[in-house]
Amino acid sequence: MDASLLESLNDQQRAAATFPDGPLLIIAGAGTGKTNTLAHRVAHLISRGVNPGRILLLTFTRRASAMMLRRVESILSSADELKVAPSALASRIWGGTFHATANRLLRLYGQSLGLGENFTVVDRSDAEDLLNEVRGEIGLDAGEVRFPRKGTCLSIYSRCVNAQEPVEQALKTHFPWCAGYPDQLKKLFRAYTQRKQEQNLLDYDDLLLYWFHLMQDESLAAEIQQRFDAVLVDEYQDTNALQAGILKKMCPDGKGLTVVGDDAQSIYSFRAATVHNILDFPKAWPGTTVLKLEQNYRSVQPILDATNSAIALCPNRYNKDLFSDRKAGQKPRLVTLVDEDQQSDYVIRRCLEHLEAGITLQKQAVLFRASHHSDALEIELARRNIPFVKYGGLKFLEAAHVKDVLAILRLAENPRDSTSAFRVLQLLDGVGPAHARRAIAHLGDGRFDLRAWQNFAPPAPAAQQWGEFVEMLLKVAPNHLPLPEQVAAVREFYSPILEKRYDQSQVRQRDLEQLEQICTNFRSRNVMLTELALDPPSATQDLAGPPLREEDFLILSTIHSAKGCEWDAVYVIHAADGNIPSDMATGSDEEIEEERRLFYVAMTRAKDFLEVCVPLRYYHKKHATGDRHTYAQPTRFLPESITHHFERVSLEPKRALDAPSLQMVATDVRKKIAAMWA
């Protein structure tokens, strides 16, 4: 690589980007330029002559992958010796999420695993519905004791798959309230798996599971290994046991393997991620070189002094000491408050002070451990007419009308998909569950040829719709029409149903228009259905409330949602023990240490100003109009030994009288009480 391409890197980044070969673990502290370093490493490999089509770059979001590839292209565009356009080189890289890469490989090798090329990937919501359907068929919804609901059942299944844990262990550790049902759950999961195989369906977890088993066959594994000269993994601290097992088979000797991550930011154990993957990486790949990125480009040094001291108390970690050239700035504040109301008042006042000082509301964020922790603050912000946006909300693909249209397209793609058929059929007038099951059975008797429905007798109310429905499916199913025309045909059939079944139909129609626009970005129907399931859009018009017309707004976010973000000013609220760490996550040392890392993530989001707020008095929510309360302790993650890194602020309740007046009142009252017994 041209030396000029490395000029923007510091010494630690340059060493990581140009490391020769072998298993490499890059421990990248918060704000240390991890993305830039990894992109330079990919560009360096290409400049050394590695075929970009033989480079696999694994990320955890599509956005991260796209950003990384754009960065690689930008870096390559500065090189003089390249004979091929940088865009052409970057486009050949195998870049994507673990699940997207799994899907791509399974399309190539699925026949060897009993999967046809036309298998369908269902999202979590549809997987829950299918699991619930199976749950009902085997009678687990009719017992005297309430069986876990479909969402819980799927979470248990997902935990077992991704953490490679037996059902009993998953229940004991993570779902103790379901510990009495291991045999029933195993029966359910067997039936669920059989149903998916019958319908040629894969859920989100199956993508990794099938990839894992694909790599257990020595000949297939060797063929896949031969495809890649370099494998690079971003955010390795977020991987689970199944992903680590896949990676071990992809690069058994570690040659060409580079992983980047930060053990101090491993906060997703609820998704089965394990910090042990990154801590034990040198054991899994002997001969590993560990390089560190410690120069922080985000925060001022006083904030780093505080965050370094907080994470240093973690017993199992890679030692690193973040530093910054940004020396200016005040110490972070540790603010003790009387109660939640005073906390809301204080945070709003500080937000407005920073706003007056030139920091817009969008550059400020309030972070909290659990979503309900912002309830009181939201009410006060609304009362004072201060606009805010809270991370989260209804997902695009969770809107009922969008799911209806996608179910029609999935049925056209895979007529064996009885889950989609069951949903679609009940959109028709007079078709209930019983009629839907008869129609599905009739289709099965016709070997899942959609033409079999031409001679099916629907209920009388659906007689006219039925002919239009079958005609639309036969028009769309062969996949000869361009994808936008297919979606348009489905919309034409579905629009009268939408207007009849749902309120706010005009708003919902805009979502379907958006879906028609989205489909122009995909080369085929199968690709669109798969990628929407793997990486769904995050927003929808449906029930989203009135549009936010303010040009500026405050950010409210859970700490988990804030990972990867940064703001000029950050306020961490409810930093009292029981909230941070959550009293629901203190059952083991591992849980407590993950809570410590979560607190560290919150504090490292701040660039210039950090304020940690500790309300001491909490009123009992179930006694909404009473005075029952408890006093909390500040979070255990800020012991007295490290609080010298903070400016201590303590706010007292407002007093109506000054000190001399209080003394006079006290003296007078004391005399009156004493005189009672004269």
Side-chain angles (χ1 to χ4, degrees), residues 461-649:
Q464 180 178 346
Q465 278 180 309
W466 186 260
E468 297 170 354
F469 169 62
V470 175
E471 182 183 353
M472 178 271 297
L473 280 179
L474 294 177
K475 178 180 179 181
V476 170
N479 214 7
H480 300 322
L481 293 174
L483 190 51
E485 292 185 27
Q486 294 185 38
V487 176
V490 173
R491 280 186 58 203
E492 183 180 356
F493 165 76
Y494 178 73
S495 287
I497 297 174
L498 173 65
E499 293 176 4
K500 184 184 300 184
R501 281 182 167 261
Y502 299 112
D503 59 359
Q504 298 179 312
S505 61
Q506 290 182 333
V507 175
R508 296 172 189 263
Q509 285 284 10
R510 288 200 292 270
D511 279 337
L512 302 184
E513 292 170 9
Q514 183 181 0
L515 182 64
E516 192 171 333
Q517 289 181 326
I518 287 173
C519 75
T520 61
N521 298 322
F522 300 97
R523 67 178 184 273
S524 71
R525 182 174 66 202
N526 182 279
V527 170
M528 182 188 77
L529 293 171
T530 300
E531 295 199 8
L532 284 180
L534 294 179
D535 189 24
S538 62
T540 171
Q541 302 276 351
D542 181 35
L543 308 180
L548 185 67
R549 301 191 185 280
E550 300 284 349
E551 63 179 10
D552 196 15
F553 46 84
L554 181 66
I555 303 296
L556 308 184
S557 174
T558 62
I559 302 172
H560 282 101
S561 295
K563 186 173 178 290
C565 302
E566 60 181 37
W567 294 275
D568 289 0
V570 168
Y571 313 89
V572 183
I573 61 174
H574 291 293
D577 222 77
N579 292 329
I580 299 177
S582 167
D583 55 5
M584 302 296 291
T586 54
S588 68
D589 290 342
E590 282 199 356
E591 286 180 309
I592 292 172
E593 289 312 312
E594 176 159 334
E595 291 290 299
R596 188 194 308 276
R597 296 192 295 267
L598 189 62
F599 184 50
Y600 172 79
V601 166
M603 293 193 294
T604 54
R605 302 308 96 195
K607 296 168 69 175
D608 299 304
F609 300 96
L610 170 65
E611 307 208 20
V612 179
C613 299
V614 186
L616 296 181
R617 183 167 61 209
Y618 285 91
Y619 289 95
H620 294 195
K621 299 295 185 185
K622 64 180 179 180
H623 303 285
T625 59
D627 291 326
R628 291 190 60 185
H629 63 273
T630 54
Y631 279 94
Q633 297 290 328
T635 175
R636 69 188 71 181
F637 301 141
L638 292 180
E640 285 295 326
S641 60
I642 67 172
T643 54
H644 63 278
H645 291 295
F646 292 82
E647 175 189 346
R648 302 292 294 267
V649 178

